[in-house]
Amino acid sequence: MKYYEFSLTIPLKYNLTGKFQAPSSEWTHFTRYMQDYELIVVTEGIAYLQIEQQQYSIGKEEFLLIPPSSKQVGYKKSSCSFYWLHFICENPVNTKLLEELPIEELEDKIYIPTHGKVVNLEKIIVMMKHLQDSVLSYHNNLLNNYVCTTILCEIYSQFLAKKNQENSDFKRKQLFNDIQDYIKWNRNNDIKVSEIAEHFGYNKRYISYLFSVIAGVTLKQYIMQEKIEIAKFLLCDTNDNISEVGYQVGFNDNHNFMKAFKKMVGLTPTEYRNAYSKRMLFYK
């Protein structure tokens, strides 16, 4: 993704701001070239804009950052509304292709992608209105510059928070998948939740909570479900006696195996075998 790296050793320079409301569903953004940066934050509908050769559909809660000297063309009709902000950066601006944002927030730099989504649209709207009020009430260029800079910092902070949340969600989902794989590979053993937690280097309580939130069942229940599933297969596909089947799925006590099987399936292992075994077994 393309990011613009703004150095904020001096504030951004405010130029113009406003709110736009499409007059009808037949509205199309006109063609123009801008000499400064433009930030668009959509509050309703979808804005369809082509910047040079790239087309963007910017929906509610999404923003678009347009660099200077870019050709803007509306490529589709729509009814939408958005706040817009024109500004100048007097510091050099670097354009970077980054797969990930820097983990730490830098004191004098922010990174804004060409297209992104905010997590708190209402806060951005309040800040945009505050800027408009500042422009109309005080006519103080320095104040306007700092309010403008604050808006860009807020956009960056919200986008960074969203990316961190996505990364965190991805890591949790990956851990969940790894736990599932571990259980499948070890379901013939007497697996304990504490053993899984130790294997992955997490707290037992956290592992249990994470798994239950994603799977909808507790980790303990899932382990038992996996064991019973393989036991059901062995009962129908082998001639192994009940105690051998129980031993193969990690039960050293035949009574505990039969009790767990009956509780989960509603039948004893023998009743299940008699009810669901559909073919003769000759190989053993």
Side-chain angles (χ1 to χ4, degrees):
M1 184 181 290
K2 182 189 289 186
Y3 289 86
Y4 295 91
E5 181 189 75
F6 294 100
S7 173
L8 301 182
T9 52
I10 59 173
L12 301 171
K13 187 175 181 181
Y14 163 78
N15 189 359
L16 292 168
T17 190
K19 181 184 179 182
F20 174 80
Q21 175 68 56
S24 74
S25 59
E26 296 297 304
W27 174 80
T28 305
H29 196 287
F30 50 88
T31 300
R32 66 177 178 181
Y33 289 89
M34 294 298 302
Q35 297 306 309
D36 47 17
Y37 285 93
E38 180 176 12
L39 174 71
I40 290 174
V41 182
V42 174
T43 56
E44 293 294 339
I46 302 176
Y48 298 98
L49 262 173
Q50 179 173 319
I51 309 301
E52 298 300 341
Q53 305 304 314
Q54 181 69 46
Q55 291 184 341
Y56 298 94
S57 56
I58 312 104
K60 183 178 179 179
E61 301 180 338
E62 295 182 348
F63 63 87
L64 185 71
L65 180 63
I66 307 168
S69 304
S70 299
K71 184 180 181 182
Q72 302 179 15
V73 180
Y75 67 90
K76 189 175 179 179
K77 299 175 182 178
S78 71
S79 176
C80 63
S81 62
F82 54 81
Y83 283 88
W84 53 270
L85 169 60
H86 295 177
F87 64 92
I88 297 166
C89 184
E90 295 183 334
N91 285 326
V93 178
N94 295 319
T95 304
K96 297 187 175 184
L97 291 173
L98 300 173
E99 292 186 6
E100 294 291 339
L101 287 171
I103 296 174
E104 72 283 357
E105 293 191 49
L106 304 177
E107 289 185 359
D108 61 349
K109 291 181 182 178
I110 59 173
Y111 295 84
I112 309 292
T114 302
H115 185 203
K117 188 170 184 176
V118 300
V119 295
N120 190 341
L121 177 62
E122 291 75 17
K123 189 172 183 180
I124 300 297
I125 291 173
V126 168
M127 295 176 75
M128 286 288 196
K129 288 181 176 179
H130 176 55
L131 175 59
Q132 291 175 7
D133 179 69
S134 172
V135 171
L136 294 172
S137 300
Y138 303 115
H139 309 288
N140 184 319
N141 290 334
L142 184 62
L143 174 61
N144 296 340
N145 290 347
Y146 273 105
V147 176
C148 170
T149 303
T150 301
I151 290 172
L152 268 293
C153 288
E154 179 65 26
I155 292 280
Y156 168 61
S157 295
Q158 288 197 22
F159 186 75
L160 185 63
K162 186 173 187 298
K163 291 291 287 183
N164 288 340
Q165 179 64 43
E166 289 172 353
N167 290 340
S168 179
D169 290 344
F170 174 80
K171 289 176 182 177
R172 284 197 292 265
K173 183 63 173 168
Q174 185 62 54
L175 176 58
F176 171 77
N177 292 336
D178 290 343
I179 292 171
Q180 284 186 310
D181 290 341
Y182 181 88
I183 293 169
K184 287 184 186 298
W185 282 105
N186 293 279
R187 56 190 173 184
N188 60 325
N189 300 322
D190 184 17
I191 313 171
K192 304 290 186 186
V193 174
S194 56
E195 172 194 328
I196 296 173
E198 184 178 352
H199 177 81
F200 289 102
Y202 286 91
N203 178 276
K204 175 182 172 180
R205 185 174 296 177
Y206 173 75
I207 286 282
S208 300
Y209 172 77
L210 168 74
F211 197 91
S212 62
V213 166
I214 297 176
V217 297
T218 67
L219 182 51
K220 218 170 182 180
Q221 286 174 311
Y222 183 81
I223 293 170
M224 187 59 67
Q225 286 175 3
E226 288 295 304
K227 287 178 176 293
I228 297 304
E229 282 302 311
I230 193 66
K232 286 158 68 175
F233 168 77
L234 293 171
L235 288 168
C236 290
D237 210 57
T238 74
N239 283 323
D240 295 343
N241 63 45
I242 303 303
S243 60
E244 287 175 333
V245 170
Y247 181 76
Q248 288 180 65
V249 294
F251 286 89
N252 295 322
D253 186 297
N254 189 43
H255 175 73
N256 287 340
F257 169 60
M258 291 191 291
K259 183 179 177 181
F261 192 95
K262 176 72 180 291
K263 182 179 179 180
M264 187 157 289
V265 181
L267 300 170
T268 67
T270 301
E271 288 171 338
Y272 183 87
R273 169 172 273 172
N274 292 338
Y276 290 96
S277 183
K278 300 297 185 183
R279 57 196 175 95
M280 299 296 292
L281 303 171
F282 298 107
Y283 58 85
K284 191 169 182 180

